[in-house]
Structures are given as C-alpha cells and as structure tokens.
Amino acid sequence: MNKEPDKRIIRGLLKNEGKSQELLYKQFYSYGMSVCLRYTANRNDAVEVLNDSFMKVFTKIQQYDEQYAFKAWFRRILINTAINHNRSQLNNHHDLSLDEAAEISDKQGNIINELSYDELINLVQSLSPMYRTVFNLYVIEGYSHLEISELLGISEGASKSNLSRARMNLRELLKRDHEKRLARYER
C-alpha cells in the first residue's frame, strides 16, 4: 500500500523542497491518518496530530537514517506526537491494583465481525486518552508494559491496569452496540 518514499523525495526533503514535502504528504497521508485516528478522540485531533507529525518529519528529516524503513520512523513520530498531544489528559490515569483489573471473558465473540473499520475506530476513540493510548501501544503497536510505562511515565502495573480497563470498556461498548443491532433487527 504505502511503500517507501523514493530516494529523490528524501533528498528533496533534505533540501527543504516544497514539492518533495507535498509528494511525501500525499503518499503517507492515509497511513498517518489511520495511526492518528487510533490515538485521538476525534478526526479533528487526528488531523492536528498528523499535520504536527509531518512538520516534525520536514524539520527533522536529517535525523532519518536511510538504512531503516521510513515508514517505521514516521510511525514512531506519529505515536510520540499523539502521546504528546494527549499528555495533559494522560495524567488522569487510573492506578488500580492488578487484582481490581481482572479480565472479563467476552461472550459475544463475533460482535467484532459485524462492525466496520470506522465503527471499530469510533469505539477505540471513545476510550479515555490513557486507556486508548495504552491499548494502542500494547495491542496494535506491540510495545511491552515496561516500554509503555517508560514512554508514558507510569508504573508497569498502571499500564497493565489501564490495558485491562480499556479491554473491559471496549467489551461493554461492543456489547451495547450488539444489543442495539439486535433490537433493530428484531423490529
């Protein structure tokens, strides 16, 4: 889908060429938006984070090492920018004990199959900023709880607790959505 940018684009970015910036923006807008939507509460915030991320790419392109995939470097910028964007809200995390954060089994296994991508994104966006961020970092990005705790300045236990609570909230939201769909279907 979004392959690596042409080396000419990278050289143009290093020279601060507007045309190269435009080409990169067009090539990676959709990819960047898909990442940003998962970390923000709404589309407007996602656009703001995405544009801030592109500005960082344009101003810090000299830090990019062409030995590595551009997409991975860009993803890291997107995630860090989203976390910084939500930083004030992230300080309102819930520090629960692990015993309090017990998993609830999901009895509605095929609810997710009924949802579109946009509906799933909306459910994730409805989580609190901390839950949404920890969920994305752990489930989607594959970060460990230790890495999340260092990145967000919380304890490992708080990371685990927030993940558990995010999952519980998502299950409840999925259950409610499923019940609404069934009620419509029965009418």
Side-chain angles (χ1 to χ4, degrees), residues 28-171:
F28 284 91
Y29 178 88
S30 294
Y31 171 74
M33 183 57 87
S34 71
V35 172
C36 293
L37 281 169
R38 288 196 316 267
Y39 284 90
T40 56
N42 57 58
R43 189 166 190 78
N44 289 337
D45 286 349
V47 168
E48 183 176 338
V49 168
L50 180 61
N51 288 331
D52 289 349
S53 297
F54 272 113
M55 287 305 298
K56 287 178 183 176
V57 167
F58 300 152
T59 59
K60 298 179 187 283
I61 191 66
Q62 69 281 359
Q63 295 175 6
Y64 168 62
D65 184 346
E66 289 189 54
Q67 290 181 190
Y68 302 102
F70 174 83
K71 197 171 182 179
W73 183 70
F74 183 48
R75 181 182 205 85
R76 173 74 96 193
I77 290 173
L78 291 164
I79 292 168
N80 288 335
T81 303
I83 289 170
N84 289 338
H85 180 80
N86 291 325
R87 185 72 67 190
S88 64
Q89 295 169 345
L90 292 176
N91 289 330
N92 297 324
H93 70 278
H94 302 285
D95 204 4
L96 304 172
S97 73
L98 292 178
D99 293 334
E100 293 177 278
E103 292 285 333
I104 296 176
S105 65
D106 184 6
K107 296 176 182 155
Q108 306 291 335
N110 53 350
I111 294 173
I112 292 176
N113 295 335
E114 300 173 14
L115 298 174
S116 71
Y117 173 80
D118 288 338
E119 290 169 322
L120 282 171
I121 290 296
N122 286 336
L123 288 175
V124 171
Q125 285 179 328
S126 70
L127 294 172
S128 72
M130 179 58 81
Y131 292 173
R132 180 176 57 241
T133 301
V134 171
F135 179 83
N136 280 308
L137 288 172
Y138 187 84
V139 174
I140 308 296
E141 309 298 342
Y143 283 68
S144 70
H145 286 294
L146 177 62
E147 292 169 320
I148 294 169
S149 70
E150 291 170 355
L151 188 61
L152 300 180
I154 60 175
S155 70
E156 267 186 90
S159 176
K160 291 175 183 179
S161 172
N162 282 301
L163 176 63
S164 179
R165 290 293 176 152
R167 286 178 168 163
M168 289 188 319
N169 285 354
L170 283 172
R171 283 188 188 104

